[in-house]
Each structure stands twice: as structure tokens, then as C-alpha cells.
Amino acid sequence: MTVTYSSKVANATFFGFHRLLFKWRGSIYKLLYREFIVFAVLYTAISLVYRLLLTGAQKRYFEKLSIYCDRYAEQIPVTFVLGFYVTLVVNRWWNQFVNLPWPDRLMFLISSSVHGSDEHGRLLRRTLMRYVNLTSLLIFRSVSTAVYKRFPTMDHVVEAGFMTTDERKLFNHLKSPHLKYWVPFIWFGNLATKARNEGRIRDSVDLQSLMTEMNRYRSWCSLLFGYDWVGIPLVYTQVVTLAVYTFFFACLIGRQFLDPTKGYAGHDLDLYIPIFTLLQFFFYAGWLKVAEQLINPFGEDDDDFETNWCIDRNLQVSLLAVDEMHMSLPKMKKDIYWDDSAARPPYTLAAADYCIPSFLGSTVQMGKQMPKNEWKMEDIKIPLPQPQFQCAKSDPGG
């Protein structure tokens, strides 16, 4: 389930984000604690071997190796490679959310364009809307592990009411090696055309609006399928992963505290615990974990998209809009501002501070500070009109 914390950061306060640091679900601690423990244990093991088990000559060789690893580990461009990769992943993640298929625009058009309060009109509207939801379900089944676990076979789709038994037979009869999520689009177009011929859709413009909006919905579904098919190139993911883990493998040796009595540069202090190296691992490896979680938001991580909730919400809302709310209108009454030309809703005491005057422009404050000047006609000099000359046309005869 998506972790929402917007209300916690609605206002900027002193240490406003500190409350978020203690959350476990969806946190970086939950994602990274295993890798962090492994890194700390390996570092401690190498440190104990260096301090307790190695002989004098072996210690000298290890110290040279440690200085060598520390010197050349910084040549790995971790920040550049990882930063660009995470930016690419975050942009891709947000684009996928923006292009989730929502049936709201279609349900408005179907409710207002497909007429008839009888059973056949109701059946037309509900069937059109069911085809829309069936399309998104087929797409979500192909890209989301959570949805596939809920609807592992087409039998489950039929049992859930998204498809009838006859429709499933027709669906299975269509032979195609490709994903057949587009089939409900064809059914939708054929049924809408039939409704137009029957007069249920009274204008060809309404039919065109329905088809245009259905094509937009199809584009959203196709785009999600494309994101699932074509991901970030595997070679780039491998480069980033290798860069991060190679860097910290070198840090296991290169960031060891060496014998201060040997006088190595930068090793005049022995703290036993590499505080800043651990922080560096936390930040860099955490950065990589962010990309790992967001690269496919249709999985089952804490911050992945709630695709099953989308299916439930879209089906319930869309069927309600095209059926029970079809031509359903509340009785019109005069609003409370009927005779008030300066309508303004009231404020509660808690919101009294937000009652502010309208902004009239930045120069209004200047008018309050400047002295009043009155016009004096004798001070106004009106420039005399300048004579205008016009070139005379040449007389071709003279």
C-alpha cells in the first residue's frame, strides 16, 4: 500500500521532517538494513583480522593494499553514474503514474451521450463501461504482479464480472500470438456504432467524442504496456550496480584504520568505527535502493502503485456514473447568495487568519505613500501640431 505522508509536511516547521525519520514502513531503513549489516560485519571482520591475526610483514602488505584501494576507489564515478540513473528512473516512474488509465472522462461522455432510461439503454451504458474496465484489467494483469495474483486466469476475470461467458468464448476463439488487450476496444466501437444506428446516441458528434476519448484511453493502456516491455537498458543498470558495489568493496579495505605509529598520511587517528564510511554507504546504497524500488512501480513494494485499488475504484465509480446517476439531477433551488452581489463564503475562527483583502497590484502601496498632486491646467503644455507634408504626385504630362 502506498505510503502517504502529505499531511505531515503540509506546513514548514522547525525540524518539520524529523517525524518522517522514525517511520519504518516504506523507509530507507527497511530497504537497506540487510545490506548495511552485511557491510558492517565484513568491515569488522577485516579489521579484526588486520589487528589480531596478521603478522608484522603481513600487516605492512595489508597497509599498502589499503592505501592503494583508498587512492583509486575515488576514481570510480559513483556520484555521476548513480545520480543520472536515479533521475532517469524517477522521471520514468512519474510518467507511468501520470499515464495510468482512469475512466472518468469516458463515464461522463457515456452517461450524457447514450440515452434511454429503459433496460436496454441501461444495458448499453453498463456494457460500454464494462468494456472500458475490462481493457484496463487486461493491461494491469500483464504488467502488475499484484493484479495477476488476484486474477491469475481468465476464469477469474469472468467470475469477477468483467467478462461474460460468451465474451470469453469469443475472446478465446480469436487466434493471435500477441496480447489481446485491444479486443474490448473493438467491442466498444462496434457497440457504440450500433447504439448510434438505433438512435441511442443521437448525434454523430457524440459518437466521435466517445471514440476519441476511447482512443485516448487506449493510448494510456498501450503506454503502460510499452513501459513494461521496454525498460531502462540492462547494461546501464548493470553499470550502476557494479559501480556502487565495486566502490564499497574497495572501501572495505581502503577505509580501514591503519596503525597510527607508522605515520601513513591520513591515518594518524584510530577510531575503530568508520562513521563517515558507513554514512557514505547509507547514502549511496540507499540511492541505488530508491532506483531499485521505483524502476518497476507495478510490483509489491511499499511505494508501488495500488493497481488493485485502481481496478476496484474505477469499476464502482464508473458503473455508478452511467447507471444510477444517468439523468439524475437534484432539484434546483436559489443559492444563498441570490440577492448578494458581493458573495463571500464565511470563515471559521480557525481559518480567520486566511481572510485577506484582494490583491490590487503592487503600485497600490505607492499611492498611499506619495503626496496628493492636483492637476493644474496652466502647467500642462500641449504641443502644437506639426505641419504634415505630402509628396506631390508627379505629372507625367508636365
Side-chain angles (χ1 to χ4, degrees):
M1 185 174 181
T2 303
V3 179
T4 302
Y5 59 91
S6 300
S7 61
K8 305 294 184 182
V9 293
N11 300 317
T13 59
F14 183 68
F15 282 118
F17 279 9
H18 75 280
R19 289 171 293 180
L20 304 180
L21 298 178
F22 299 100
K23 290 184 175 293
W24 174 255
R25 188 169 168 275
S27 66
I28 189 61
Y29 319 120
K30 183 178 179 181
L31 283 176
L32 194 60
Y33 77 93
R34 299 178 184 89
E35 288 85 349
F36 187 84
I37 292 175
V38 170
F39 181 81
V41 168
L42 290 176
Y43 183 93
T44 304
I46 295 174
S47 179
L48 291 175
V49 169
Y50 164 68
R51 297 171 185 272
L52 303 177
L53 300 181
L54 296 184
T55 63
Q58 292 173 341
K59 284 186 177 181
R60 303 295 82 79
Y61 180 80
F62 179 84
E63 290 163 358
K64 293 178 182 179
L65 180 62
S66 176
I67 295 173
Y68 175 83
C69 291
D70 187 35
R71 181 187 305 164
Y72 289 99
E74 299 297 334
Q75 295 185 6
I76 301 176
V78 179
T79 304
F80 171 76
V81 174
L82 188 57
F84 185 79
Y85 181 74
V86 173
T87 302
L88 181 63
V89 169
V90 170
N91 289 335
R92 174 187 170 89
W93 165 78
W94 183 248
N95 287 334
Q96 290 182 76
F97 177 76
V98 170
N99 289 283
L100 286 176
W102 301 99
D104 298 51
R105 294 166 63 102
L106 268 169
M107 72 185 188
F108 298 150
L109 286 173
I110 291 174
S111 181
S112 60
S113 301
V114 183
H115 300 277
S117 300
D118 57 342
E119 185 176 352
H120 184 64
R122 180 186 176 191
L123 181 62
L124 275 176
R125 290 188 297 273
R126 291 182 68 93
T127 304
L128 287 171
M129 205 67 246
R130 184 167 54 81
Y131 289 157
V132 173
N133 287 286
L134 175 59
T135 301
S136 60
L137 174 60
L138 294 178
I139 281 294
F140 282 139
R141 279 187 75 246
S142 65
V143 302
S144 173
T145 57
V147 175
Y148 188 82
K149 287 181 178 181
R150 184 181 180 184
F151 304 99
T153 65
M154 293 304 296
D155 290 334
H156 294 84
V157 177
V158 174
E159 292 175 4
F162 288 90
M163 181 184 287
T164 65
T165 304
D166 294 336
E167 289 169 353
R168 185 201 171 190
K169 293 179 180 178
L170 183 59
F171 186 85
N172 292 337
H173 182 71
L174 297 172
K175 303 301 181 182
S176 176
H178 310 293
L179 183 67
K180 294 185 291 186
Y181 74 93
W182 47 268
V183 172
F185 289 127
I186 306 300
W187 294 345
F188 181 95
N190 295 340
L191 185 58
T193 303
K194 181 181 178 182
R196 173 69 181 99
N197 294 333
E198 294 175 351
R200 298 287 179 166
I201 300 178
R202 299 173 183 174
D203 197 320
S204 297
V205 176
D206 292 336
L207 177 61
Q208 182 180 4
S209 299
L210 272 176
M211 300 307 295
T212 300
E213 194 57 44
M214 188 59 180
N215 279 325
R216 178 180 297 183
Y217 192 85
R218 180 205 60 79
S219 299
W220 290 338
C221 294
S222 300
L223 190 58
L224 291 185
F225 181 75
Y227 273 117
D228 184 66
W229 176 33
V230 181
I232 296 176
L234 178 61
V235 62
Y236 194 15
T237 303
Q238 291 175 338
V239 166
V240 173
T241 305
L242 287 173
V244 173
Y245 285 104
T246 302
F247 175 77
F248 285 108
F249 179 77
C251 288
L252 286 174
I253 300 175
R255 299 295 177 84
Q256 292 288 336
F257 290 102
L258 304 181
D259 189 355
T261 61
K262 300 300 178 181
Y264 297 117
H267 291 276
D268 51 352
L269 186 63
D270 191 358
L271 295 179
Y272 296 96
I273 300 176
I275 298 175
F276 290 99
T277 300
L278 293 177
L279 288 175
Q280 196 173 27
F281 179 86
F282 187 83
F283 298 143
Y284 281 175
W287 214 358
L288 183 63
K289 279 294 182 179
V290 169
E292 181 181 330
Q293 188 176 41
L294 299 184
I295 194 170
N296 183 8
F298 295 102
E300 299 173 67
D301 295 325
D302 288 336
D303 273 317
D304 284 342
F305 300 154
E306 296 297 334
T307 47
N308 278 312
W309 175 88
C310 291
I311 292 172
D312 296 340
R313 180 263 176 196
N314 291 344
L315 180 65
Q316 193 275 328
V317 170
S318 60
L319 292 181
L320 177 65
V322 301
D323 191 1
E324 296 181 25
M325 294 190 66
H326 174 67
M327 302 305 294
S328 175
L329 289 171
K331 184 179 179 180
M332 291 191 297
K333 293 183 178 180
K334 293 181 180 180
D335 58 82
I336 62 175
Y337 306 107
W338 183 265
D339 296 318
D340 187 1
S341 60
R344 191 174 192 179
Y347 286 80
T348 62
L349 291 177
D353 293 338
Y354 303 111
C355 182
I356 59 175
S358 299
F359 180 72
L360 302 178
S362 57
T363 59
V364 173
Q365 300 298 328
M366 294 177 59
K368 296 179 181 180
Q369 300 173 2
M370 294 177 61
K372 295 183 178 180
N373 294 327
E374 297 181 356
W375 290 102
K376 294 183 179 180
M377 296 304 298
E378 58 272 15
D379 294 337
I380 302 176
K381 297 181 180 180
I382 302 176
L384 296 176
Q386 299 294 327
Q388 298 181 357
F389 297 94
Q390 190 174 11
C391 297
K393 296 183 178 179
S394 59
D395 187 0

